[in-house]
Amino acid sequence: MSTRPKTAMVMAAGLGTRMRPLTDHQAKVLIEVRGKALIDYAIDPLIAAGVERIVVNVHAFAEEVEAHLRRRKDAEFLISDERAELLETGGGIKHAQALLGEAPVFVCNSDYIWIKPGLPALEELARAWDPARMDVLVVVIPKARTLGFGTPGDFFQDGAGRLTHRGDHAEAPLHTFGIEILDPTAVYAEARRKFSLRDIWFAAADKGRLFGLQLDGLWMQVGDPAARDAAEAQLGSRLV
């Protein structure tokens, strides 16, 4: 029996404050990089990986995001409405439980772009996913192969692939990239309505069930106008 997820959550409800003034009149996920909306850089690889149902949470400029998704006919798109209140990453997934179901899902942020040789990133992620050992499998990238990240790194990784957060260390060698496969059981069991998915990661790490997958290529966070310009320059005429 295949353990490859057929459902995904795309996180698209952020306010995009760091992307101003580009987000003064449009959703961050609809900002274009090389003529392609940011959210489509998340959706297209999911479709290529065989995902059939994609849940997208919305908040600011929700109607415009919904209209953009209606123009796509290559998957079933469902809206998780957070117009009334932003619920953070973990709360957003919990809020979408009825749409996502109980099985493991892909979770993708909508402000990341990557240039990767060889096997597609989500194909590698799906092949590496092992629900018997893992509650979460997240893409992690050595800092030297990232752009647009302003943090000192997130995780250390052991020889078996398990992750531990940098904690009191000033720096860590790996940035977390916003692509993962997640067993949502612990998210749904969380008592809070609003919480970060990182709380779930750290609880999984404490049990030895948070794993990371390092992938080749260049990985970019598109969080502000300068990062958008840098991503456009890197993409050039290459296909993601």
Side-chain angles (χ1 to χ4, degrees):
M1 179 178 177
S2 173
T3 60
R4 178 187 297 265
K6 295 295 185 181
T7 299
M9 177 90 181
V10 174
M11 312 303 295
L15 292 172
T17 53
R18 291 196 301 128
M19 192 62 89
R20 289 174 178 162
L22 299 180
T23 50
D24 286 344
H25 304 291
Q26 67 177 326
K28 178 181 176 181
V29 299
L30 298 183
I31 289 170
E32 292 189 352
V33 179
R34 288 275 169 182
K36 179 175 173 177
L38 273 174
I39 195 169
D40 291 328
Y41 283 98
I43 291 173
D44 289 348
L46 289 168
I47 300 297
V51 171
E52 298 169 353
R53 179 196 302 145
I54 298 176
V55 179
V56 181
N57 63 346
V58 296
H59 180 73
F61 303 102
E63 292 80 7
E64 289 86 345
V65 177
E66 290 182 81
H68 180 84
L69 296 174
R70 281 196 297 271
R71 289 192 286 271
R72 298 196 63 131
K73 308 300 181 184
D74 44 0
E76 178 186 14
F77 291 94
L78 302 175
I79 299 298
S80 182
D81 196 331
E82 293 184 31
R83 288 173 175 87
E85 181 185 19
L86 283 170
L87 299 172
E88 301 184 39
T89 49
I93 291 171
K94 180 180 178 181
H95 183 66
Q97 179 177 0
L99 304 176
L100 291 170
E102 308 301 316
V105 295
F106 285 107
V107 179
C108 295
N109 287 356
S110 54
D111 58 354
Y112 291 92
I113 297 174
W114 59 93
I115 301 168
K116 180 189 176 300
L119 200 66
L122 294 186
E123 180 64 27
E124 286 204 40
L125 193 67
R127 292 186 185 189
W129 170 247
D130 180 0
R133 297 187 299 131
M134 304 170 180
D135 290 339
V136 187
L137 175 62
V138 61
V139 172
V140 289
I141 305 296
K143 291 189 291 185
R145 292 196 282 104
T146 66
L147 288 177
F149 289 77
T151 65
D154 301 301
F155 287 106
F156 297 91
Q157 188 170 35
D158 69 15
R162 294 181 180 86
L163 298 178
T164 54
H165 191 254
R166 73 172 185 270
D168 294 331
H169 293 274
E171 294 192 28
L174 300 172
H175 279 310
T176 306
F177 204 78
I179 304 172
E180 65 193 276
I181 296 177
L182 167 76
D183 180 341
T185 303
V187 178
Y188 299 158
E190 171 61 48
R192 294 172 292 169
R193 290 184 64 252
K194 179 188 290 190
F195 59 97
S196 172
L197 199 54
R198 286 190 168 232
D199 296 345
I200 303 301
W201 291 356
F202 296 160
D206 289 343
K207 298 186 293 182
R209 294 183 61 84
L210 174 66
F211 283 75
L213 179 66
Q214 294 190 41
L215 296 174
D216 294 334
L218 177 66
W219 299 74
M220 298 171 280
Q221 183 178 50
V222 187
D224 56 41
R228 174 189 174 274
D229 293 345
E232 285 205 325
Q234 288 291 334
L235 285 174
S237 61
R238 293 176 292 186
L239 296 176
V240 174

